[in-house]
Amino acid sequence: HVQLHRRARAMKRLAHLLDDEAAGWQVSGASLEHVLMPLVLHPIFELPKGTGADVVLPECARALTALGKRLSWGRYSDALKQLLNALKVATKEAENAASEKNKSALVPRDRSVAIGLCAVLDGFHFSLADEDPLGEGQAKAHISERSEQAILPGATQGDEECFEVEEDDDEAEAVVPALNKVWFALEGKLLPALHKLVVCPKVGRKGEKLEILRPNVACALLKLVLKLPPRACRRQLPELLGTLSNSLSSKHEDTRTGARTALASMMRDLGPGHLKLVVSILRTRLDRGYLLHVRAATIHAVLLALARDYKPPGRARPAADKKHHD
């Protein structure tokens, strides 16, 4: 529809129908990919900034998440590849703008494409191996060796956003039988590409080049990492938390504030069990000068975020009180 508020209402109804399992709304995979997906992605790619896109984008994100939960891995990976490539192009445009000392903010498509990418990541529903059968060194060596062969037909070797694995790649599954093609694609292409897109270039007020954190991409990447097998999750978390720590060490207050807010939001997903890891990384990266004050403010924000959702475990009644009660 031409009127954006009607289009947003239609997106909301679509997301509700896709999420409502009791309604039993059955749609073929081809219809999801070739009909519904292009309709939902159109506002993300085509609506320029400042034309009422903010009315449609939240509902588009909900619809994309609902669609992602119904897609098979092949169609799901195609959608991710499309959004990753689009965000990569937007990032390059932002870098060009920075090199030309253009003081405008991010390119108009950057924000909307990042929202779409995060929505599809939230719809990740594929099962992975319970344990990583390869050691950390073996997994990195194997995936580095095989990743060059895991690129979609028509893509170039240098395009790191093309992460699809061939459906009939029996050799890869024979070498690592417990790692299905979903896990292989995640470790080989998707996660490295997402780590590179957590920050984006921007030009400061005085013409200096900055690297601004994308909080929504960082949070979506964290949710995906937490769905990995435990050993793989332990490998990916320090890199993501290190990227946030680098943003916290920036001399620009806006950059530090955004990174601190993002880390506090992410801690609600991580939980108290990862507090020791977060504090350890902050102590290592923020260890001198004004960074000590930044570290104290960040830890305070993290503790406040955990306190909102923390529920202390039930304490056993003391033996004396129990005996008196009986």
Side-chain angles (χ1 to χ4, degrees), residues 110-127:
D110 183 87
R111 175 176 172 270
S112 60
V113 174
I115 290 174
L117 176 63
C118 296
V120 174
L121 288 175
D122 289 342
F124 184 88
H125 63 283
F126 304 97
S127 60

Side-chain angles (χ1 to χ4, degrees), residues 93-141:
E93 292 176 357
E95 291 177 355
N96 293 335
S99 63
E100 295 172 2
K101 298 183 178 181
N102 184 357
K103 296 187 178 182
S104 62
L106 300 179
V107 293
R109 278 202 314 159
D110 183 87
R111 175 176 172 270
S112 60
V113 174
I115 290 174
L117 176 63
C118 296
V120 174
L121 288 175
D122 289 342
F124 184 88
H125 63 283
F126 304 97
S127 60
L128 299 171
D130 293 334
E131 287 291 340
D132 183 358
L134 299 179
E136 182 174 355
Q138 291 178 336
K140 290 181 178 179

Side-chain angles (χ1 to χ4, degrees), residues 29 32 67-78 125-126 167:
L32 290 173
L67 281 171
K69 294 178 180 178
R70 291 204 175 203
L71 292 174
S72 63
W73 171 247
R75 293 186 168 96
Y76 182 88
S77 61
D78 287 343
H125 63 283
F126 304 97
E167 296 288 340

Side-chain angles (χ1 to χ4, degrees), residues 144-220:
S144 175
E145 178 183 355
R146 293 287 300 168
S147 60
E148 298 298 331
Q149 305 175 17
I151 303 177
L152 278 172
T156 61
Q157 291 286 342
D159 191 355
E160 297 187 4
E161 279 63 40
C162 298
F163 53 86
E164 176 66 44
V165 178
E166 294 293 337
E167 296 288 340
D168 57 349
D169 195 352
D170 296 332
E171 181 185 353
E173 294 183 3
V175 175
V176 280
L179 291 181
N180 54 28
K181 58 181 177 291
V182 178
W183 161 249
F184 181 76
L186 283 174
E187 187 81 331
K189 286 294 180 179
L190 175 59
L191 290 173
L194 286 171
H195 277 295
K196 292 182 179 180
L197 294 174
V198 171
V199 294
C200 60
K202 184 181 177 181
V203 178
R205 297 177 181 178
K206 298 181 180 180
E208 69 276 21
K209 296 181 181 179
L210 307 176
E211 285 193 346
I212 304 299
L213 184 75
R214 289 188 175 110
N216 52 351
V217 176
C219 293

Side-chain angles (χ1 to χ4, degrees), residues 189-321:
K189 286 294 180 179
L190 175 59
L191 290 173
L194 286 171
H195 277 295
K196 292 182 179 180
L197 294 174
V198 171
V199 294
C200 60
K202 184 181 177 181
V203 178
R205 297 177 181 178
K206 298 181 180 180
E208 69 276 21
K209 296 181 181 179
L210 307 176
E211 285 193 346
I212 304 299
L213 184 75
R214 289 188 175 110
N216 52 351
V217 176
C219 293
L221 178 56
L222 173 67
K223 293 178 182 178
L224 180 61
V225 167
L226 293 177
K227 295 177 183 179
L228 299 177
R231 186 180 299 175
C233 181
R234 289 193 294 269
R235 290 201 302 266
Q236 297 291 334
L237 271 180
E239 181 177 356
L240 178 58
L241 295 175
T243 301
L244 268 72
S245 298
N246 291 338
S247 297
L248 286 168
S249 63
S250 172
K251 295 183 179 180
H252 297 270
E253 183 178 359
D254 294 341
T255 303
R256 298 197 304 267
T257 301
R260 182 168 58 249
T261 304
L263 182 58
S265 176
M266 292 165 64
M267 282 304 302
R268 303 181 70 175
D269 293 322
L270 285 171
H274 292 88
L275 181 60
K276 181 179 179 180
L277 173 63
V278 173
V279 173
S280 175
I281 292 177
L282 291 177
R283 288 182 61 185
T284 303
R285 302 293 182 95
L286 311 176
D287 58 350
R288 60 186 180 277
Y290 75 97
L291 298 180
L292 297 176
H293 302 282
V294 175
R295 184 177 71 189
T298 303
I299 294 177
H300 179 261
V302 164
L303 293 175
L304 286 180
L306 288 175
R308 294 190 185 99
D309 298 330
Y310 177 70
K311 295 180 181 179
R315 297 179 180 178
R317 185 183 302 170
D321 293 346

